[in-house]
Every structure is written in structure tokens, then in C-alpha cells.
Amino acid sequence: MWPFRRRRSPRLESVPIGELTTDPTDYPILTVGQSRLVDSFTALDFTGEKSPRFLLSRAHPVIDPRMKAIADIELRVDNHVVGYLRPPALNEAIDLLSDRHADALDIPVAIFSTPAGPEVRVHSALSETNRQER
């Protein structure tokens, strides 16, 4: 007998999750890291706007080199980091990356202006898509 090997399809560059909408209630998932990312919001020209901005972000895994595993998922808009996912959204994104065999996810985000600074929220499709696939 010879060994059978299951071939995996090549990794996809990115997989779209959800559709961009302008309804603020579609964006319930709060991210972390906004206070450390002032340069990103300045580069995106988001400084003290009153109305939210709805954009498409690319969610990239951050690999811990010692553990060789995903340590975090950063959200990028126009190649600027605008936030990081927190559990359970972090776990859902990791599962989707693995299930879809993708390098990144394209997820809609909303950037809100708050008294504490910019706040980034992720579209609910991230959680809904993961629940549908399970």
C-alpha cells in the first residue's frame, strides 16, 4: 500500500465576510487598540468626525513566532491598522480563516467618533457566518 495524501486547495488571498451597510446597528463587535493607533486614524483623515464612516477592512492574522500560532487578528483599512479583534470575535475569525483556508478576511467595519477618540466596530456577519458554518 502507498500512503494517501489529501491535497488541500491553495490558500485564498482573502475571503469576503458580510456586506458593507450604513446601519450602525449592524456593527456590534467592539475592537481593541484604538488608543494606540492614533497615527492610523490621522493617516485615514479620521479626526473628530461626527458621523460614522463605514469601510471595508482586511483582517490579517498576527503570528506569534515562538508558538507558530495566531496570536491576534488585526484589522487594516487602506493598509493602516485600526484595531484588533477580541474574543469571542477573535476565535470566530481564526475559525473562519482555517475553515475557508484563507490568508485574510474582508470584513466591513464602522469607525465612530467618541469623546475618548475613534472607536472601531465590526459587522455582525463575522459571528453570523461562523455560526452558520458550524
Side-chain angles (χ1 to χ4, degrees):
M1 281 197 210
W2 64 91
F4 289 97
R5 291 187 185 163
R6 182 176 167 197
R7 288 189 180 190
R8 290 194 78 165
S9 58
R11 286 184 91 61
L12 299 172
E13 181 182 338
S14 182
V15 172
I17 303 295
E19 295 199 19
L20 190 63
T21 65
T22 56
D23 183 359
T25 60
D26 287 340
Y27 298 86
I29 303 169
L30 185 62
T31 63
V32 295
Q34 290 96 222
S35 62
R36 299 178 294 166
L37 304 170
V38 175
D39 293 341
S40 292
F41 294 108
T42 303
L44 292 170
D45 197 30
F46 189 88
T47 52
E49 289 184 25
K50 297 296 180 216
S51 59
R53 201 184 292 181
F54 302 95
L55 304 162
L56 196 60
S57 74
R58 184 156 283 186
H60 286 277
V62 177
I63 307 295
D64 181 345
R66 294 174 301 214
M67 307 257 312
K68 293 186 174 59
I70 297 174
D72 219 336
I73 302 254
E74 63 185 14
L75 299 170
R76 293 180 165 266
V77 172
D78 292 337
N79 216 21
H80 298 285
V81 178
V82 295
Y84 296 89
L85 292 177
R86 66 171 72 177
L90 173 64
N91 302 333
E92 291 167 345
I94 291 170
D95 289 345
L96 283 171
L97 284 168
S98 176
D99 292 346
R100 302 279 180 100
H101 198 61
D103 289 331
L105 302 172
D106 289 334
I107 306 171
V109 295
I111 304 175
F112 297 91
S113 183
T114 68
E119 178 179 280
V120 178
R121 292 183 173 263
V122 178
H123 197 282
S124 61
L126 176 64
S127 296
E128 292 166 1
T129 302
N130 200 35
R131 276 197 267 321
Q132 289 172 359
E133 291 194 5
R134 297 276 166 213

